[in-house]
Amino acid sequence: MAKKISVIVPVYNSINCLERCVRALCAQTYKELEILLIDDGSTDGTGELCERLAAGDARIFVRHKANGGASSARNMGLSIASGDYIGFVDSDDYIDSYVYEDLARALEVGKYRVAQISRDEVDEDGGRLPDVCTPPEKERFCDSETFIKELLMHRGDSSFCTKLFPREIFAVNRFPEGKLNEDFRLLLDILQEIPGICILPRQGYHVVCRKESTTRKKTKDTFSRVFMDIVENADMVQELVDRKYPALHAYAVRFNLYQRLDYMLHVPLSQMKGDNAFYKNVKKYLRRHVGDTIKNPYLTGKNRVYLLLLTAAPRMVRGVHGWKMRLRQ
């Protein structure tokens, strides 16, 4: 008998895209599925849509919960999943019909601990966007240390949605709640427990890049917490690398500098003040690591220029950068 796959789908106000996501799951050539729709306190009728979709396929199960974020929804899914394998799909996205058959075959036949399908990025109309992660030409096994190196170079795929895991991996592992960039953090924990990941070449997972809602337009003071979380994760991975993977030290330093560059390019000017402890700590880090900025072989020339300028005169550089970005629009 085929092993069962539990697919966990966190759902929040996804009424315009959820049906496409679920129909793609129901159309999988691998039939031994349970599809867990975890409604995370939706307010737009998505919860009712979940129930209607479940009425049409006995493999779909729905749970409703108070809003707590995608990690809490995934963790609820893990607590009720009955499958031998665990997969995840975001409700904005959709997958090709062969995805779970290919992933399950890699785990069963190849005896890998974790398998990953390749992905592409599409707009809301299905048009292809530039690849974020380049797929391999053929199936390949990537050991954990190499996979971490690829993540540190921003070439790897940290998403849980492109992967299939044996259920026992989540016996103790859970998504950190109240954080963004949570996939990266948990995947690092898991990579320390497994030999590596099998990467399949076909781009069967489609990440849908949605335009920003007109009801939630950005203002000059809009700032996502993700830009602080990526800095905290960079510190965490530096400690891990120096303790367990010392050959990756220079890659981790590059990652730390790059993540702080990302923070400095997004933090609002209104928050670049002396009473912002997080901002002050980022500035101190950049000043302490000017030598690394100059010498690290894995930073691009453009990275170095921006880092050095933002280290010397962050507010002025951000003002000029914002002005240039507005001219391009």
Side-chain angles (χ1 to χ4, degrees), residues 118-167:
S118 293
R119 76 187 212 201
D120 61 18
E121 319 283 319
V122 299
D123 60 28
E124 291 178 290
D125 299 319
R128 281 290 301 271
L129 299 172
D131 287 336
V132 173
C133 302
T134 303
E137 293 184 0
K138 59 182 180 179
E139 178 181 315
R140 76 182 184 98
F141 176 75
C142 186
D143 66 82
S144 288
E145 184 166 347
T146 301
F147 202 97
I148 291 172
K149 182 184 79 172
E150 292 301 294
L151 292 177
L152 295 177
M153 290 298 293
H154 291 91
R155 298 189 298 239
D157 182 3
S158 65
S159 173
F160 276 67
C161 292
T162 53
K163 299 172 180 63
L164 189 64
F165 302 84
R167 182 182 176 181

Side-chain angles (χ1 to χ4, degrees), residues 8-12 38 40 65-79 88 90 160 170 173-187 225 229 233:
I8 299 170
V9 185
V11 177
Y12 178 72
I38 312 299
D40 189 40
K65 61 183 289 295
N67 181 251
S71 286
S72 68
R74 284 175 167 181
N75 287 340
M76 174 178 275
L78 288 170
S79 70
F88 302 88
D90 284 343
F160 276 67
F170 298 100
N173 290 304
R174 287 292 187 273
F175 291 92
E177 298 187 20
K179 296 285 186 180
L180 299 176
N181 199 221
E182 65 277 13
D183 283 20
F184 177 87
R185 194 177 190 94
L186 181 56
L187 186 60
R225 193 184 69 246
D229 289 348
N233 282 349

Side-chain angles (χ1 to χ4, degrees), residues 211-249:
K211 294 178 182 176
E212 189 180 14
S213 169
T214 56
T215 62
R216 296 187 291 109
K217 289 182 178 178
K218 289 185 178 180
T219 70
K220 64 180 181 179
D221 294 320
T222 300
F223 185 53
S224 171
R225 193 184 69 246
V226 71
F227 295 106
M228 292 186 288
D229 289 348
I230 63 173
V231 170
E232 292 179 353
N233 282 349
D235 288 337
M236 179 269 293
V237 77
Q238 182 78 63
E239 186 277 329
L240 167 65
V241 162
D242 289 344
R243 173 171 47 85
K244 199 165 183 177
Y245 306 101
L248 301 182
H249 174 80

